[in-house]
Amino acid sequence: MKKFISFVMAGAMVASLVPATAFAAKGEVTATAKVVDAKDLEKGETAVSGPELQIKIGSADYTAGTTPTLEVEVNLDNAEFKNYKPTDLYNLVKIAFDGTAKTVKPYGEGSTTYEYKELATWDDSKFAGIAKLDSSSKVDESTLVSASKFSAETIKGDDARTFLLGKGYTYSAVDGTFSIASATAPLKTLYTASKINSGIVTKTLEDVVADAIKTGGAYENYVMVEKTVVTTGSTSINPDTEIGIEVKDPDKDSVTYKFYGKFAKDDKISVALDTKMTKTSEGTKATVSVDSKAVTANDLVFASILGKGFKVSVKKTVDVATDEVVNLNSNGLKIEAAVGNLPSKVTLKISNGFEFTKANDKMSGSNYDIVREDEKELTVNVTGSVDEITVKDIQIEATTAKSGAVATITAKASNNDSASCEVAKVVDYKVNLSVDADEDIPVIYSGTDVGNAGLTDDSEHWSLEVTAKESFPGAWSMRQGFNFNLPEGVYVTDVKVTGADNFKVSTSTTASKDASRTDWEEAFKTAYQDGDHKNFEFKKRVFNDVDTVLAKDPAELTFELQLVADPTFEGDVKLAFEGALVDKQEVTIAKFVKPYTVKAEQNDVIIDYRNTEVKTPIVITEAEEGLWKKDATFKLNIEDDLLTFENDPTFTIDSDSDMTLKDDKADKGTIKFSVKEESDKAATITISDMKLFMSRSIPAGAYDLEIATTMSEAYDRQVLYAPDATTVASWKSGDRPSETTTKKDSYVDDVCDYSDVVKAAFINVVTSGRDNDNLFTTKVVVPVGEAYLLAGEAKVELDAPAYISAAGYTMLPVRAISKALGVNTNNVLWNAETRTVTVMYAQRIITMTVGQKTIYVNGSAIPASAAPEIKDGRTFLPLRDLGTALGVTNVNWDAATKTATLN
């Protein structure tokens, strides 16, 4: 049989029910179909009660003016409805409205509902059949035998008299009739004596019904019933407030429902699958199928006939090493019947390479006892009538199985049913580092303390829980040390050990005892101090491994770290586990993001001393709405005191954020502002119209933009985990002991070395001050053919050696210029398009072009003896001409040593 459901939708829906973007095409709905509460039956069972076909409206789109319809055809396979009259099938449908409830009622001719009731006296026009009464004395329609089942019969002479008397009728000699003996019987007079005595009796319908009722057997306790109309389906529906249901084409295994009215998103139509199986053999599945413009779903299983088998399972496999012994998972091996009770005896066999140990001899537990037949087989005797048992403490040994092999236990019952499951896996000796893959990685803001000073964020800075577990007892050797290492710029402020199982530690009073979580926390403190408060360095034999009990579970450590990170740190925090006797591993335990971003462009400026204009703005953006706390302060300055901001700049805040500022000005060379009102949307602050004060003696070169905030100031004062000073908890801000009275590694700023730079080379001074044109003061020696030069007493490595050109000139690689002169690499520029090198040094801007024997100094042309050349992809300048441009007149050449010197 082809199985399908079809939805035909037409009409309109009020737009407010669901968003327009969720709709399908106009006049249609989308839906999903599934079975809920599917049932398992034993072999031979037929009655199915409880499952439902559930159709959930995904979206609905209606156009005003008509009554929409939705048609659903339901088809069953291997099952049929217990009652398939229209009334019964109508009553199987229930609608759950997600929003405003609507009135549900029968609709149309096909939805007329009826009622059957007892017919007290015979009436040909009303007689609808015979049926039993239920416990409440109402007609049980499921037992109905319709009137069409009865027909006339012919009974001869004495046979008729004998038949009637034998069935409880009495004969009246007065009027010659046969009657029912019971005064409460629905019929009185059945046959006249003349009919009986005539020798040939033709039974009327009334006669046959009466006979059937009094016969006993199949129809015992039946009564006559009549059928009356209770409700006729409405043909008028208000589609906004009512849902009409019409039942069409009812049959044993199929029915069509037609719905009138408007559904909304997430409304649910449920059809109770009150059915009976038509096949009851093992493995049979009863299914329902649907198909429509809105949803298609075939062969949804709602009932299954199970056999008499069983299954075995463990909650989790365990690891074992070759030649080692292990107990199966502590939750035990579960043996359970699919249906009914377990057989009295179950045999367990283990796969090749593994054996059951003698520890399994004469084991017993709840509703079972065990006999170990040999190394490969256990007999489980089941006591009592139970449908499952859990066998505890089964112990196996990996005798010949190698790494990667899996131990399988096969259970076989006395009726030859069998089932298998994997219980153990052979592994190498190692320690596995892991985190819970189902947990979200915590996101923490960098550059702030654990109290999130300056931010509204309330995260506690804890990492994911980390688990370090042996693959097998004794795998985590403590004979050598091991480390837990963190990325540079990430620091620990607290450690929480949440579990420490099967570790041993020596004490002054006993050779060995179980290590507690407190023992591990103390070990973490010592390790962090030994790791200079940057990593955890555990020394050898921090715990014992010589007392490992192989029969126990592997040693397992779980812990969490409370973290802070430098303001410049961003990205994943990967915790690395490494040591001489452990495999290096790493896991991601947290992620840091910056609470703000700063964008700025480089500004090339020429000395102007006062009010030097900064042409490009500084843009600071909040990471998320409402993140910066009220009164949080930001300060921006240039790295060198010779270059400071002067005059108040302009602060512009995007209008959507609703953030307001205070103290927004330039003060003592620093641009600063504070949050007055927190944002409703992530704020962007643009700082423009900035001017600089430049010292007369400032050297040419690049100068960085730096930032300090409420967050970074609190971060610097954050107390580290395991501080060297035992009194650190009582210290107050600004009241820290001197390093002469205590060790120094107690605060973040004791150990960190992060940069406050938010834009490198924000200001690039092209020329130096008028009183800073001291030019060349260092003797430079250039050995030709060597990949180095000497600047004063310093040896400077070069990426390519100097050489003698074909014209006999010493050629110096461009990279060597910045190193020899001691200038910022930003002041030696290469233009690939024009093939021009520009050197900015003090007050001089020197330009030389490949192939041209001309040098330009501050725009003035000077003839050169040689032209720059490109060799092996690198640009070289003539040393003597460069010296001339720098004002160096003492350039010497030593032919014997092939050395050029600039004095």
Side-chain angles (χ1 to χ4, degrees):
M1 176 188 295
K2 182 178 179 181
K3 299 173 280 292
F4 61 92
I5 278 188
S6 62
F7 282 59
V8 180
M9 298 301 298
M13 181 176 186
V14 178
S16 63
L17 289 177
V18 289
T21 54
F23 295 161
K26 286 288 184 181
E28 294 184 354
V29 296
T30 62
T32 58
K34 67 178 181 180
V35 165
V36 295
D37 296 331
K39 296 297 182 184
D40 290 335
L41 306 177
E42 290 189 34
K43 186 175 180 180
E45 280 191 274
T46 58
V48 181
S49 180
E52 288 184 349
L53 170 64
Q54 190 178 94
I55 300 166
K56 184 177 181 180
I57 305 299
S59 64
D61 184 18
Y62 301 114
T63 304
T66 60
T67 299
T69 60
L70 180 155
E71 192 169 286
V72 182
E73 184 174 335
V74 180
N75 282 275
L76 307 178
D77 195 19
N78 290 331
E80 59 185 37
F81 294 108
K82 291 179 182 176
N83 302 299
Y84 47 91
K85 294 186 298 297
T87 307
D88 301 320
L89 296 174
Y90 170 83
N91 290 331
L92 295 180
V93 179
K94 296 290 184 290
I95 302 176
F97 298 99
D98 186 62
T100 303
K102 299 177 177 63
T103 301
V104 179
K105 60 184 183 180
Y107 189 96
E109 182 181 354
S111 291
T112 301
T113 58
Y114 304 95
E115 180 180 86
Y116 290 88
K117 62 182 180 179
E118 183 178 353
L119 180 62
T121 59
W122 179 263
D123 187 333
D124 262 334
S125 63
K126 294 182 179 180
F127 177 68
I130 64 172
K132 281 186 178 181
L133 298 180
D134 63 19
S135 59
S136 59
S137 297
K138 292 183 179 180
V139 173
D140 184 351
E141 295 181 37
S142 66
T143 66
L144 178 66
V145 181
S146 66
S148 62
K149 298 293 183 182
F150 298 95
S151 59
E153 294 182 29
T154 299
I155 303 176
K156 294 182 179 180
D158 292 341
D159 291 336
R161 183 181 290 105
T162 302
F163 172 82
L164 292 174
L165 291 173
K167 299 300 181 183
Y169 296 99
T170 60
Y171 174 69
S172 172
V174 177
D175 56 12
T177 63
F178 286 88
S179 301
I180 296 176
S182 173
T184 60
L187 299 181
K188 187 176 180 183
T189 302
L190 294 180
Y191 302 122
T192 63
S194 60
K195 286 185 178 179
I196 297 297
N197 293 330
S198 67
I200 301 294
V201 177
T202 300
K203 290 187 178 181
T204 63
L205 176 60
E206 177 184 3
D207 299 335
V208 175
V209 171
D211 286 346
I213 292 174
K214 293 300 293 181
T215 297
Y219 297 124
E220 186 178 7
N221 299 324
Y222 276 65
V223 297
M224 295 185 299
V225 294
E226 63 176 314
K227 178 180 180 182
T228 59
V229 175
V230 177
T231 304
T232 301
S234 172
T235 56
S236 176
I237 289 290
N238 182 339
D240 294 319
T241 61
E242 297 177 315
I243 296 291
I245 305 177
E246 181 179 3
V247 178
K248 300 173 60 179
D249 305 324
D251 201 353
K252 291 181 178 181
D253 57 3
S254 68
V255 61
T256 298
Y257 293 106
K258 192 170 184 179
F259 299 89
Y260 298 80
K262 297 176 181 178
F263 289 99
K265 184 177 184 295
D266 293 333
D267 285 352
K268 292 178 183 176
I269 302 170
S270 297
V271 179
L273 298 173
D274 191 15
T275 59
K276 55 185 178 182
M277 302 285 287
T278 56
K279 296 180 180 179
T280 59
S281 57
E282 182 179 336
T284 299
K285 297 182 184 297
T287 62
V288 60
S289 295
V290 298
D291 184 20
S292 90
K293 292 181 180 178
V295 61
T296 298
N298 291 323
D299 300 327
L300 302 175
V301 177
F302 66 89
S304 302
I305 302 294
L306 301 180
K308 296 291 186 179
F310 64 98
K311 61 181 179 179
V312 291
S313 62
V314 289
K315 189 168 184 180
K316 186 178 180 181
T317 62
V318 295
D319 295 332
V320 62
T322 301
D323 297 327
E324 301 293 355
V325 175
V326 67
N327 280 352
L328 300 193
N329 185 268
S330 57
N331 288 292
L333 178 76
K334 181 182 286 188
I335 307 173
E336 53 188 322
V339 291
N341 293 322
L342 286 171
S344 60
K345 182 179 294 186
V346 177
T347 301
L348 303 181
K349 291 188 176 181
I350 196 162
S351 54
N352 291 334
F354 302 89
E355 293 180 356
F356 293 113
T357 70
K358 290 184 178 180
N360 298 294
D361 288 348
K362 298 181 179 179
M363 294 171 55
S364 63
S366 178
N367 295 109
Y368 72 87
D369 61 69
I370 289 180
V371 176
R372 178 173 173 267
E373 304 294 344
D374 54 37
E375 294 85 355
K376 303 295 291 183
E377 185 175 309
L378 301 178
T379 296
V380 181
N381 296 309
V382 181
T383 57
S385 299
V386 293
D387 57 5
E388 71 173 52
I389 59 172
T390 300
V391 181
K392 298 277 191 176
D393 302 321
I394 292 180
Q395 191 178 88
I396 65 171
E397 180 181 1
T399 52
T400 60
K402 303 301 181 185
S403 177
V406 174
T408 300
I409 288 181
T410 299
K412 188 173 183 179
S414 51
N415 61 1
N416 290 324
D417 285 337
S418 64
S420 300
C421 74
E422 295 179 357
V423 296
K425 182 179 180 180
V426 181
V427 297
D428 293 327
Y429 282 94
K430 65 181 298 185
V431 181
N432 296 305
L433 195 67
S434 65
V435 294
D436 189 341
D438 294 330
E439 290 291 329
D440 294 333
I441 295 175
V443 178
I444 309 169
Y445 284 106
S446 55
T448 188
D449 64 352
V450 295
N452 297 302
L455 302 178
T456 58
D457 180 57
D458 60 358
S459 65
E460 296 181 340
H461 290 233
W462 285 103
S463 72
L464 289 177
E465 185 177 73
V466 181
T467 299
K469 183 180 180 181
E470 295 177 315
S471 62
F472 189 76
W476 193 342
S477 175
M478 299 287 176
R479 295 191 299 276
Q480 295 292 331
F482 58 90
N483 295 353
F484 288 115
N485 293 334
L486 291 159
E488 184 177 356
V490 177
Y491 304 97
V492 177
T493 60
D494 200 2
V495 174
K496 182 163 51 181
V497 177
T498 54
D501 298 324
N502 302 319
F503 293 96
K504 297 290 183 179
V505 62
S506 298
T507 68
S508 58
T509 59
T510 181
S512 181
K513 72 177 186 68
D514 289 335
S516 66
R517 286 182 292 178
T518 301
D519 293 325
W520 261 106
E521 286 175 352
E522 290 301 316
F524 268 108
K525 289 178 181 178
T526 301
Y528 203 50
Q529 291 176 342
D530 291 342
D532 296 328
H533 293 86
K534 296 179 180 179
N535 297 301
F536 294 92
E537 296 183 2
F538 293 85
K539 295 181 179 179
K540 63 182 180 180
R541 300 203 185 283
V542 63
F543 292 102
N544 297 347
D545 57 7
V546 295
D547 296 322
T548 299
V549 180
L550 296 181
K552 284 193 173 183
D553 290 334
E556 181 175 352
L557 169 69
T558 55
F559 61 93
E560 298 173 47
L561 303 179
Q562 192 178 51
L563 304 171
V564 293
D566 289 345
T568 52
F569 185 89
E570 189 170 28
D572 291 339
V573 178
K574 294 185 180 295
L575 181 70
F577 176 60
E578 50 192 311
L581 299 179
V582 295
D583 295 334
K584 182 176 180 179
Q585 299 175 66
E586 64 178 22
V587 290
T588 299
I589 61 173
K591 181 178 182 178
F592 278 95
V593 296
K594 296 179 180 179
Y596 58 82
T597 56
V598 179
K599 291 185 179 180
E601 301 297 332
Q602 179 174 304
N603 292 269
D604 295 332
V605 299
I606 298 175
I607 285 291
D608 198 17
Y609 301 114
R610 298 303 301 267
N611 297 312
T612 302
E613 183 181 2
V614 179
K615 294 183 179 180
T616 65
I618 301 171
V619 180
I620 306 177
T621 302
E622 191 178 24
E624 64 174 310
E625 64 180 37
L627 178 61
W628 299 345
K629 197 172 185 178
K630 185 178 180 180
D631 295 328
T633 300
F634 294 75
K635 301 174 184 177
L636 296 154
N637 63 276
I638 309 299
E639 65 171 310
D640 199 305
D641 291 340
L642 298 176
L643 193 61
T644 58
F645 292 106
E646 62 178 345
N647 297 333
D648 290 341
T650 299
F651 291 80
T652 305
I653 310 174
D654 58 313
S655 59
D656 292 339
S657 70
D658 289 334
M659 176 179 280
T660 59
L661 305 180
K662 61 181 179 178
D663 299 329
D664 42 350
K665 59 187 177 181
D667 182 32
K668 297 180 181 180
T670 298
I671 293 175
K672 60 184 293 187
F673 66 88
S674 298
V675 175
K676 184 177 181 181
E677 294 292 338
E678 296 167 7
S679 67
D680 293 328
K681 181 180 178 182
T684 297
I685 299 171
T686 302
I687 306 173
S688 57
D689 301 330
M690 296 170 286
K691 293 193 171 24
L692 298 173
F693 172 79
M694 307 173 71
S695 172
R696 293 175 59 87
S697 61
I698 188 170
Y703 295 85
D704 300 333
L705 178 67
E706 298 177 336
I707 193 169
T709 65
T710 300
M711 291 79 79
S712 62
E713 290 168 356
Y715 173 70
D716 290 343
R717 299 192 301 269
Q718 172 66 55
V719 177
L720 291 168
Y721 179 64
D724 287 343
T726 57
T727 59
V728 69
S730 64
W731 295 352
K732 297 179 181 178
S733 177
D735 185 31
R736 294 164 55 180
S738 66
E739 294 183 13
T740 60
T741 60
T742 182
K743 295 180 182 179
K744 71 172 186 175
D745 290 349
S746 299
Y747 285 82
V748 165
D749 68 354
D750 291 335
V751 297
C752 69
D753 189 25
Y754 70 86
S755 171
D756 294 319
V757 173
V758 288
K759 172 58 182 176
F762 176 60
I763 301 297
N764 185 40
V765 179
V766 176
T767 59
S768 60
R770 294 187 182 91
D771 55 357
N772 194 36
D773 194 21
N774 50 0
L775 291 180
F776 210 74
T777 59
T778 303
K779 178 180 178 180
V780 177
V781 178
V782 183
V784 173
E786 301 291 341
Y788 70 90
L789 57 77
L790 300 174
E793 296 181 356
K795 183 178 181 180
V796 180
E797 301 292 336
L798 304 178
D799 63 341
Y803 69 93
I804 304 299
S805 70
Y809 294 100
T810 302
M811 306 299 290
L812 185 68
V814 169
R815 179 176 172 80
I817 296 172
S818 61
K819 292 188 176 183
L821 303 183
V823 300
N824 192 299
T825 55
N826 290 335
N827 291 350
V828 180
L829 309 176
W830 164 252
N831 188 318
E833 185 176 355
T834 61
R835 304 210 303 174
T836 299
V837 177
T838 300
V839 179
M840 295 179 289
Y841 185 67
Q843 290 181 322
R844 301 192 181 199
I845 300 178
I846 303 164
T847 303
M848 304 178 73
T849 302
V850 173
Q852 296 183 11
K853 292 183 179 182
T854 302
I855 300 176
Y856 292 88
V857 179
N858 293 343
S860 300
I862 301 174
S865 57
E869 297 178 353
I870 294 178
K871 180 181 179 182
D872 297 330
R874 292 179 172 84
T875 303
F876 291 80
L877 304 182
L879 179 63
R880 183 174 295 278
D881 293 327
L882 178 62
T884 299
L886 293 170
V888 179
T889 56
N890 187 0
V891 180
N892 299 319
W893 168 252
D894 186 335
T897 60
K898 292 187 177 182
T899 301
T901 304
L902 283 76
N903 288 316

